[in-house]
Amino acid sequence: MNSRGRKAVAVDPQIKSSNLKRLRRIEGQIRGLQKMVEEDRYCADILVQVSSVQEALRGVSQALLRNHLRHCATAAITSGKTAQRDVVLDELVELFAKFSR
Amino acid sequence: MNSRGRKAVAVDPQIKSSNLKRLRRIEGQIRGLQKMVEEDRYCADILVQVSSVQEALRGVSQALLRNHLRHCATAAITSGKTAQRDVVLDELVELFAKFSR
Amino acid sequence: MNSRGRKAVAVDPQIKSSNLKRLRRIEGQIRGLQKMVEEDRYCADILVQVSSVQEALRGVSQALLRNHLRHCATAAITSGKTAQRDVVLDELVELFAKFSR
Amino acid sequence: MNSRGRKAVAVDPQIKSSNLKRLRRIEGQIRGLQKMVEEDRYCADILVQVSSVQEALRGVSQALLRNHLRHCATAAITSGKTAQRDVVLDELVELFAKFSR
C-alpha cells in the first residue's frame, strides 16, 4: 500500500517476525516508561528501565545488521558495480560510527 | 491512583513534562520502526532510525539523572544516614556501568 | 615535581593501585596494537583487541567514578555550599553524557 | 621476526600511518593517565581524559573497519566461497555487537 523509501534486497522471515515482536515489546516498555514518569517514580528505577530498552534496541540493530550484510551488502559488493559497492561500504562505516559511540 | 514502586524525592516539573513529551515522540518512532520492518524497508535506513531512538533515549536518561542527582541522591547523601547514602552511591556506579557500555 | 591540577579529596589506596596496574596493562595493550598495525595484521583481529582495551578503560572509569562519588562528590554535596555542590552535580551529568554515548 | 596471526588482504598506507600516529598519541595519553592517578588528581578530571582516549580509540576502530570492509571483507564476499564469506559476515556482526554496547 504505502511505499516510499528504499527496500531491502531480501529479509529473512524469522528476522522480520522476531524484530516485529521485539519492537512491539519495546513499544510497551516505552509506554511503561511514560507511566513511571507520570507517577514520579524513583529516577534510578526509571533509568534501569531505559537501559533495558536500549539493550532491546541493540538486539534489533544486530538482527537488522545481520540481514543487511547477508543480503543487501552482499548483493551490492558482488554486483561488480564499484559505485554501488562503495555506497554500501560507506554506509556500513557510518552505521558503525553511529552505534559505536 | 496506581502506585507501587519507590517514588522520587522530587521531580522538576519541566524535566517531567519534557521527558513525557520525549517518550511520546519515541513511542511514535518505535511504531514507525515497526512499519519500516513490516514494509521490508532498506535495513541501513531502519538502522539509522534505531540510532535516532537511542539518541533520544540518551536525552531522557540525562534529564532523569540530572533530576536524580539534584533531588534523590542529594537527599540521601545529606541525610547523615551512611547506609542510605551508600545505597544511592552504589546505584549510581551501577547505572554508570549500565549506560557506559 | 608533580603539581598543577585539582586534587582528589581522597583516594582509596586499593582503587589507586588497581587503577595503576590496569593502566600499565592497557599501555602494553596499546603497544601490542601498534605492533599489529605495523605487521598488517587482519583488521578484525585488531578490532577485537581495540574492543578489549575499551572494556579495560571502562573498568578504570568505574573505579574512578566510585571513588569520586564516595569522596569528592560526597564532600561537595555535604559541604552545605550550594555553588560547590551544583558544580559537582553538573560535572556528574556531563560525565554521564560523555560515557553513555 | 614478526609473524603469527592472520594478515590483512591489503592496508591503505594512509590508514596504516594515521593509525600508528594515533596509537602513539594514545600511548602517551595512557601514560598521562597513570601520572594523574599517581598524583591523586581530581577524579572527574581523570575521567574526562579517559573519555578522550575512548574517543581516540573509536577513531582507530573506524579507520580499521573502513579498511577491513574495503579490502578483507570485499575479498571474502566476492571470492565466491560461501563458507569464507559467512565467516566474514559473522565476524562483522560480532564486531558490531562488541562496539555498539
Side-chain angles (χ1 to χ4, degrees), chain B residues 22-72:
Chain B
R22 283 198 252 212
L23 285 166
R24 285 190 204 108
R25 204 179 316 125
I26 290 168
E27 192 190 333
Q29 288 179 292
I30 299 292
R31 274 199 293 266
L33 281 169
Q34 291 166 9
K35 198 150 170 281
M36 289 180 94
V37 169
E38 266 159 16
E39 295 175 3
D40 295 333
R41 292 281 296 279
Y42 186 59
C43 309
D45 291 344
I46 311 183
L47 280 161
V48 168
Q49 290 307 307
V50 174
S51 149
S52 142
V53 173
Q54 303 260 39
E55 186 64 31
L57 284 169
R58 278 192 283 272
V60 173
S61 301
Q62 272 165 50
L64 285 168
L65 183 77
R66 184 177 293 280
N67 192 79
H68 181 59
L69 289 169
R70 198 166 293 168
H71 299 294
C72 314

Side-chain angles (χ1 to χ4, degrees), chain B residues 77-92:
Chain B
I77 291 167
T78 56
S79 69
K81 296 175 187 148
T82 314
Q84 197 175 324
R85 192 200 65 189
D86 286 355
V87 166
V88 162
L89 297 185
D90 285 350
E91 272 174 7
L92 281 169

